[in-house]
């Protein structure tokens, strides 16, 4: 079922994918409920590696389907274990959903009381409510008593699934518990400043002065015009408009966030906040990450230098200026390709491509906000107010996903850019719609979920848009 409202400023689509219906053309998407094949195998391999690195021995969504239907005869001891697992699952699901509803409402600048595809209609969307619900969710995960109880239960009699779930609980709680009270206070301070900065950034009047007239544009619109406008003066004005974001956020609390975050991380024994985040998500620190990235940079440095030299030789030295490089590399090609990628065909392209790949959504419900507009968060993302999981009675809980793209149908090149974002975020939605485990904590994107693991499916799928065979 797809219901859509299309206007000059907003495209909001609520989609429910069914396993039984057939694909029926360019407007109504009825079936993406097919079996995963090569996509699933790639996911399984990476998922096993990621979970082992996090200390969780498990398998991927598709590989674990058989385990979800196994029946175990529980002893009195394992019955108590299951009661604890159920309590954590239910409690987390509640605080997670409340936070994600606020995240979507504030990022999309929704009006208070706007109905979501899940059927809920929060009475208000606000930065203060977002901060409050985020703190409540993190407090739930940062309760030392939950970690203590988890470790006690891990020493006793458990079914294989219970041990898997409790091991994940332990890993997750350790990512949020801060035994140092100063660190906890600093984290709360940073969260408040983050909310304040986000509120100010949403109200920032962004745009460019072109031909003596200020034209309000989002960061997406500015970047797109830099790639396609034939007038170098207009491109430079757009670049300066983008560049104005830096001083604005610095004056609105960003430096204070960095200070609070780094002080918090150091109080916990990390080099800085980035080291803390990398370690929690990937299982290794920033020194190891930078070693990997330095190898990549050094291995491609000569290639990049040669490419810049060639660009300057072919298009002139001015092509290396930041407001000209994107245009010099893509401007003419982007304009020629634009008629072949109108954004109104993007949903069809997504549906047909994923169906042909055999990617299923298993009854997921989705809120899609696909057009760029004033007040909307200017970056694509996909979040899950309802994680997919297998409930204690064996019933499948389908996911609810919120994801966004940033198309401007009137702008040259916007259709192709927005389609790439759509394919990427739809890849995230498909990935997490298929996590078939006995806790919603397996199907959320925060630590200890690996960023590399979370991005694997989405980047594979958005790469299709640049593939000659797919375009043909």
């Amino acid at each position: 079922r797809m219901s859509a409202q299309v206007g000059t400023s907003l495209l909001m689509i609520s989609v429910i994918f069914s396993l039984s219906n057939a694909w029926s053309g360019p407007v109504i998407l009825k079936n993406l409920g097919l079996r995963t094949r090569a996509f699933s195998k790639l996911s399984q391999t990476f998922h096993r590696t990621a979970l082992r690195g996090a200390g969780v021995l498990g398998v991927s969504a598709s590989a674990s389907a058989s385990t979800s239907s196994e029946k175990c005869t529980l002893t009195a001891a394992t019955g108590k274990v299951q009661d604890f697992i159920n309590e954590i699952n239910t409690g987390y699901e509640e605080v997670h959903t409340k936070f994600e509803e606020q995240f979507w409402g504030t990022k999309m600048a929704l009006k208070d009381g706007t109905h979501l595809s899940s059927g809920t209609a929060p009475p208000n969307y606000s930065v203060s409510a977002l901060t409050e619900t985020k703190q409540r969710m993190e407090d739930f995960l940062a309760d030392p008593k939950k970690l203590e109880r988890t470790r006690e239960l891990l020493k006793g009699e458990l079914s294989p699934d219970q041990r898997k779930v409790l091991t994940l609980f332990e890993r997750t709680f350790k990512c949020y518990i801060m035994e140092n009270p100063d660190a906890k206070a600093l984290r709360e301070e940073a969260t408040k400043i983050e909310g304040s900065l986000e509120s100010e950034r949403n109200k920032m009047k962004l745009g460019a002065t072109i031909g003596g007239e200020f034209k309000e544009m989002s960061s997406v619109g500015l970047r797109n015009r830099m790639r396609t406008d034939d007038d170098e003066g207009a491109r430079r004005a757009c670049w300066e408009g983008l560049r104005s974001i830096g001083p604005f956020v610095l004056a609105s609390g960003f430096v204070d966030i960095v200070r609070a975050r780094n002080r918090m991380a150091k109080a916990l024994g990390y080099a800085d906040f980035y080291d803390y985040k990398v370690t929690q998500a990937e299982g290794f620190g920033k020194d190891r990450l930078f070693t990997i990235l330095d190898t990549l940079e050094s291995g491609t440095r000569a290639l990049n230098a040669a490419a810049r030299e060639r660009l300057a030789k072919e298009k002139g030295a001015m092509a290396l200026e930041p407001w000209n490089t994107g245009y010099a590399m893509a401007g003419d090609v982007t304009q020629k390709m634009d008629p072949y990628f109108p954004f109104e065909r993007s949903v069809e392209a997504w549906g047909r491509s994923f169906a042909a790949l055999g990617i299923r959504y298993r009854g997921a419900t989705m809120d899609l906000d696909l057009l760029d507009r004033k007040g909307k968060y200017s970056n694509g993302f996909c979040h899950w107010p309802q994680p997919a999981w297998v409930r204690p009675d064996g019933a499948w809980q389908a996911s609810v996903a919120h994801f966004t793209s940033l198309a401007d149908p009137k702008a040259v090149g916007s259709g192709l850019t927005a389609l790439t974002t759509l394919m990427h975020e739809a890849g995230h939605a498909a990935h997490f719609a298929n996590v078939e485990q006995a806790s919603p904590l397996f199907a959320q994107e925060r630590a200890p979920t690996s960023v590399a693991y979370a991005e694997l499916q989405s980047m594979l799928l958005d790469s299709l848009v640049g593939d000659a065979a797919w375009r043909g």
Side-chain angles (χ1 to χ4, degrees), residues 154-393:
L154 279 168
K155 298 175 183 177
E157 182 182 359
L158 302 168
S159 71
D161 275 350
Q162 288 174 339
R163 186 167 298 280
K164 182 195 300 183
V165 171
L166 288 174
T167 302
L168 178 67
F169 283 2
E170 180 183 33
R171 182 73 177 91
T172 303
F173 296 150
K174 286 168 62 180
C175 289
Y176 291 89
I177 290 174
M178 297 183 182
E179 297 179 0
N180 186 318
D182 292 338
K184 186 175 181 180
L186 287 164
R187 178 57 186 141
E188 292 175 358
E189 177 188 339
T191 299
K192 292 177 181 178
I193 304 173
E194 289 164 11
S196 175
L197 174 58
E198 180 179 352
S199 178
E200 292 301 311
R201 174 64 180 86
N202 287 342
K203 293 182 288 187
M204 179 185 180
K205 191 173 183 180
L206 191 63
T209 300
I210 300 174
E213 180 184 354
F214 181 82
K215 297 183 179 181
E216 193 167 356
M217 287 181 273
S218 69
S219 60
V220 177
L222 290 168
R223 285 194 297 268
N224 189 68
R225 190 154 181 178
M226 279 173 59
R227 286 195 303 269
T228 60
D229 200 305
D230 293 332
D231 182 1
E232 182 181 358
R235 295 197 302 270
R236 181 165 187 168
C238 290
W239 176 76
E240 289 172 345
L242 281 172
R243 196 164 177 263
S244 71
I245 297 173
F248 180 88
V249 298
L250 287 174
S252 302
F254 182 73
V255 174
D256 295 326
I257 292 174
V258 173
R259 288 190 182 120
R261 285 175 169 180
N262 284 341
R263 287 169 59 201
M264 178 209 78
K266 290 176 180 179
L268 294 171
Y270 296 92
D272 51 33
F273 183 74
Y274 190 71
D275 186 43
Y276 162 78
K277 292 292 286 185
V278 171
T279 303
Q280 298 290 25
E282 309 301 337
F284 53 80
K286 74 169 189 179
D287 288 344
R288 172 60 181 148
L289 176 62
F290 288 160
T291 298
I292 296 170
L293 296 179
D294 286 347
T295 301
L296 176 64
E297 190 279 328
S298 62
T300 59
R301 188 182 303 156
L303 181 64
N304 181 57
R308 286 175 56 82
E309 183 178 343
R310 179 180 175 183
L311 181 65
K313 184 177 181 180
E314 293 179 354
K315 301 291 181 70
M318 288 297 292
L320 299 182
E321 296 291 350
W323 53 87
N324 289 332
T325 302
Y327 174 79
M329 295 177 64
D332 186 56
V333 174
T334 299
Q335 292 179 16
K336 290 179 179 178
M337 289 177 58
D338 189 62
Y340 298 96
F341 292 94
F343 188 70
E344 59 264 29
R345 298 291 300 275
S346 294
V347 173
E348 177 187 1
W350 159 36
R352 290 189 181 279
S353 297
F354 278 40
L357 286 167
I359 298 171
R360 60 181 181 173
Y361 281 88
R362 303 196 61 190
T365 303
M366 304 182 187
D367 279 341
L368 279 62
D369 190 330
L370 303 181
L371 298 190
D372 189 21
R373 67 180 187 281
K374 185 177 180 179
K376 177 180 173 180
Y377 183 63
S378 56
N379 196 30
F381 67 84
C382 181
H383 278 218
W384 298 264
Q386 174 60 66
W389 64 296
V390 180
R391 294 191 175 277
D393 61 359

Side-chain angles (χ1 to χ4, degrees), residues 60-81:
S60 71
S62 53
S64 66
S66 61
T67 65
S68 67
S69 61
E70 292 177 357
K71 304 297 183 181
C72 296
T73 303
L74 298 176
T75 64
T78 55
K80 291 180 180 179
V81 171

Side-chain angles (χ1 to χ4, degrees), residues 4-13 104 107-111 114-115 343 367-374 376 403-405 407-409:
Q5 290 182 320
V6 184
T8 58
S9 63
L10 172 66
L11 172 59
M12 177 72 79
I13 309 174
W104 178 251
K107 295 294 186 184
M108 296 299 100
L110 299 183
K111 292 182 179 179
T114 297
H115 281 265
F343 188 70
D367 279 341
L368 279 62
D369 190 330
L370 303 181
L371 298 190
D372 189 21
R373 67 180 187 281
K374 185 177 180 179
K376 177 180 173 180
F403 72 85
T404 174
S405 183
D408 178 357

Side-chain angles (χ1 to χ4, degrees), residues 41-173:
K41 293 178 181 178
L42 185 60
S43 170
Q44 289 178 35
T45 302
F46 202 96
H47 194 184
R48 291 192 188 99
T49 303
L51 290 183
R52 286 193 182 105
V56 180
L57 294 178
V59 293
S60 71
S62 53
S64 66
S66 61
T67 65
S68 67
S69 61
E70 292 177 357
K71 304 297 183 181
C72 296
T73 303
L74 298 176
T75 64
T78 55
K80 291 180 180 179
V81 171
Q82 193 60 46
D83 288 343
F84 175 74
I85 289 174
N86 294 346
E87 179 184 341
I88 297 299
N89 286 343
T90 302
Y92 175 72
E93 194 173 37
E94 180 181 352
V95 295
H96 173 96
T97 299
K98 294 295 185 184
F99 165 70
E100 289 295 352
E101 288 175 350
Q102 285 296 324
F103 186 91
W104 178 251
T106 53
K107 295 294 186 184
M108 296 299 100
L110 299 183
K111 292 182 179 179
D112 292 347
T114 297
H115 281 265
L116 305 177
S117 61
S118 60
T120 60
N124 76 296
Y125 298 103
S126 66
V127 171
S128 61
L130 174 66
T131 302
E132 179 186 345
T133 53
K134 180 180 181 181
Q135 192 62 57
R136 194 179 304 149
M137 180 181 69
E138 292 189 350
D139 286 346
F140 179 88
L141 296 172
D143 183 356
K145 293 181 179 178
K146 291 185 177 73
L147 177 59
E148 181 180 352
R149 181 60 175 155
T150 298
R151 287 172 169 170
E152 288 176 0
L153 294 175
L154 279 168
K155 298 175 183 177
E157 182 182 359
L158 302 168
S159 71
D161 275 350
Q162 288 174 339
R163 186 167 298 280
K164 182 195 300 183
V165 171
L166 288 174
T167 302
L168 178 67
F169 283 2
E170 180 183 33
R171 182 73 177 91
T172 303
F173 296 150

Side-chain angles (χ1 to χ4, degrees), residues 27-39:
V27 179
I28 306 300
L29 297 178
K30 289 187 177 179
N31 181 23
L32 293 181
L34 305 173
R35 291 183 296 274
T36 53
R37 292 191 273 278
F39 178 86

